[in-house]
Amino acid sequence: MSGIEVITFGCRLNTYESEVVKAQAEKAGLNNAILVNTCAVTGEAVRQARQAIRRARRDNPHARIIVTGCAAQTEKQTFAEMAEVDAVLGNEEKLTSASYRSLPDFGVSAEEKLRVNDIMSVKATAPQMVRHIDGHVRAFIQVQNGCDHRCTFCIIPYGRGNSRSVPMGAVVDQARRLADSGYREIVLTGVDATSYGGDLPGGPTLGFLAKTLLKHIPDIRRLRLSSIDSIEADAHLMDLIADEPRFMPHLHLSLQHGDDMILKRMKRRHLRADALRFIEEARRLRPEMSFGADMIAGFPTETEEMFDNAVRLAEEADIAHLHVFPYSPRPGTPAARMPQLDRSLVKDRAARLRAIGHGLHQSHLDRMVGTRQWLLVENNGLAHTENFTLVAAAGLRPGELVPATITGHNGKHLDMQLTAAAA
């Protein structure tokens, strides 16, 4: 091979950073290289990264393989000891071209491969400007990184460091650049995005940042948030939900569970009533609002009654896009030291919760039939409605915004018929 290939795992923030990583590596003159941007959120994510590295080496025996991302930060020795890996860069190091100029030669020891510093010592997030997000018609902007909270199941703060925000002016400049490049939809991303601004002068909030972008950049046709913690939602964000048609009617929530005792043992900052109250208020302000959510099944000490509370929360909140994770103990986290459930029970509960999520998604698809929607056409023959529902859109040009009437669905995505735009 020649050039640089990037393999990305995990969140939208990683997708955004992969563009930065590629640009910095190219700036350093790196060639014939594969960069693997890893995720550490579950043990399965780490396993998949290791598998991809081995496959990349088999397919490209002479390429240089560089591993970075959250798993490289939290399990640096694991990757350094892989014979297939030539260098390991931390989450901070991956963003600078100097890191790629000082890579070790082939055949060095595991310790010599490492370029991973203490992420907790990083106190600021420098703006990273990109003009293009490869393979995506939606543009992602990093507004925040790291997390100050210490949920008992989560390893991510140790991969990303403490919370730090990108200054508002830099975010506005980046959004304007992407809108000028033709992107119709922009997605604001972060590890704990709703903590945005707490470390900046004046303490601007995520909602205020979003308002500012829409006010000053009229070419942004659609603005979306990647994932939020509803307990941190601010008044500006609620204003956008109520009054701003360019703010998309879909929110992905970090719920994690529906039982108060488990939420406390997770060290979450909300209770089930808080989540339901937020969802009810958002729907009151914007009836077409849909919700996605992350939920964990089989957390340590979870009883059948506690699991049922999680199921009931998903049903009461009518979560249209439910992402279910079987609990995965991450070494170094408090939850890994709690009494664990049998793995077969964890998998069983995850399957049952996914089945509930499937039923909720079917009901959501049913309700969409007959509605008129504006669709953003993706690169894969599909499109997304404003409330983030997939629609079959074969033959349409990626990046287009088109009006359509929803005519049915196949259980996975909606079918549609193009209509004339409203006057």
Side-chain angles (χ1 to χ4, degrees):
M1 64 171 288
S2 62
I4 296 173
E5 177 187 352
V6 183
I7 301 172
T8 306
F9 293 88
C11 63
R12 290 168 179 166
L13 180 55
N14 253 16
T15 299
Y16 175 83
E17 287 182 339
S18 284
E19 291 300 317
V20 179
V21 163
K22 186 175 182 181
Q24 294 296 338
E26 289 173 344
K27 182 180 177 181
L30 194 65
N31 191 32
N32 189 31
I34 299 170
L35 309 179
V36 184
N37 198 7
T38 63
C39 172
V41 71
T42 64
E44 176 63 14
V46 177
R47 187 194 69 80
Q48 289 177 1
R50 288 168 57 83
Q51 185 179 55
I53 291 164
R54 295 188 184 100
R55 186 184 308 116
R57 174 57 72 215
R58 288 196 302 270
D59 295 344
N60 302 277
H62 303 297
R64 181 168 283 189
I65 296 180
I66 301 152
V67 181
T68 186
C70 288
Q73 185 75 44
T74 61
E75 301 185 32
K76 58 185 180 182
Q77 207 65 39
T78 296
F79 291 99
E81 290 173 359
M82 292 182 69
E84 297 88 351
V85 173
D86 297 300
V88 181
L89 299 183
N91 259 333
E92 186 68 8
E93 290 74 27
K94 72 181 181 182
L95 302 176
T96 61
S97 61
S99 298
Y100 301 96
R101 294 193 189 101
S102 60
L103 290 174
D105 293 328
F106 291 95
V108 297
S109 71
E111 290 304 318
E112 291 171 304
K113 293 179 183 180
L114 290 173
R115 299 288 188 276
V116 182
N117 292 331
D118 177 14
I119 196 69
M120 294 300 177
S121 68
V122 180
K123 303 302 181 185
T125 290
Q128 302 288 342
M129 296 297 183
V130 300
R131 287 190 177 277
H132 177 70
I133 310 293
D134 190 38
H136 291 267
V137 300
R138 288 172 288 136
F140 306 121
I141 298 179
Q142 177 190 16
V143 302
Q144 181 273 343
N145 204 342
C147 186
D148 289 339
H149 311 296
R150 296 295 182 265
C151 297
T152 59
F153 57 84
C154 187
I155 196 69
I156 297 306
Y158 305 99
R160 288 286 181 176
N162 291 317
S163 182
R164 50 208 190 273
S165 307
V166 178
M168 281 187 60
V171 177
V172 172
D173 289 345
Q174 174 67 25
R176 183 175 285 114
R177 181 179 302 201
L178 289 165
D180 289 346
S181 295
Y183 285 97
R184 307 292 186 91
E185 180 173 309
I186 287 176
V187 185
L188 305 184
T189 70
V191 175
D192 181 28
T194 34
S195 70
Y196 176 82
D199 56 328
L200 297 178
T205 62
L206 181 66
F208 183 73
L209 172 65
K211 270 187 180 179
T212 302
L213 292 174
L214 291 170
K215 177 181 178 180
H216 292 288
I217 311 175
D219 287 341
I220 297 177
R221 298 286 297 276
R222 293 160 57 134
L223 184 67
R224 199 180 292 280
L225 305 181
S226 60
S227 179
I228 70 166
D229 203 335
S230 62
I231 201 71
E232 292 182 314
D234 65 285
H236 293 293
L237 181 56
M238 304 312 288
D239 289 345
L240 288 171
I241 292 172
D243 301 323
E244 177 50 77
R246 291 187 293 157
F247 185 80
M248 294 295 94
H250 171 266
L251 291 171
H252 189 86
L253 307 178
S254 180
L255 292 182
Q256 307 306 347
H257 213 274
D259 180 83
D260 283 348
M261 181 56 71
I262 291 295
L263 288 167
K264 290 177 181 178
R265 288 172 180 166
M266 288 179 165
K267 211 174 179 182
R268 300 292 293 161
R269 289 162 295 141
H270 71 272
L271 299 175
R272 104 182 253 114
D274 299 319
L276 290 171
R277 190 181 305 113
F278 172 79
I279 291 167
E280 180 182 1
E281 177 63 8
R283 283 207 176 103
R284 185 188 69 80
L285 297 172
R286 192 93 170 262
E288 69 269 31
M289 180 71 71
S290 75
F291 291 93
D294 294 330
M295 294 191 76
I296 295 173
F299 187 80
T301 78
E302 181 189 74
T303 65
E304 192 66 24
E305 181 182 1
M306 292 170 173
F307 173 72
D308 287 343
N309 284 335
V311 169
R312 283 199 295 273
L313 176 67
E315 293 173 333
E316 291 174 34
D318 196 14
I319 303 298
H321 310 279
L322 190 63
H323 293 187
V324 177
F325 298 87
Y327 170 74
S328 173
R330 307 301 290 126
T333 60
R337 300 190 295 271
M338 296 179 185
Q340 305 290 307
L341 302 187
D342 185 83
R343 291 310 299 170
S344 62
L345 180 58
V346 172
K347 292 178 181 179
D348 174 70
R349 287 181 179 169
R352 287 155 59 192
L353 190 52
R354 286 193 184 109
I356 296 296
H358 177 75
L360 292 170
H361 187 62
Q362 298 306 297
S363 297
H364 171 72
L365 295 177
D366 290 341
R367 290 193 297 271
M368 294 287 289
V369 175
T371 63
R372 291 196 62 183
Q373 302 287 330
W374 279 93
L375 313 179
L376 178 65
V377 182
E378 305 279 354
N379 288 314
N380 54 2
L382 296 171
H384 275 108
T385 65
E386 291 184 343
N387 67 10
F388 208 61
T389 308
L390 281 173
V391 185
L396 299 181
R397 188 172 73 243
E400 275 192 296
L401 273 174
V402 298
T405 297
I406 304 304
T407 57
H409 68 83
N410 68 355
K412 294 183 179 179
H413 55 68
L414 299 168
D415 300 315
M416 62 85 181
Q417 183 175 353
L418 293 177
T419 57

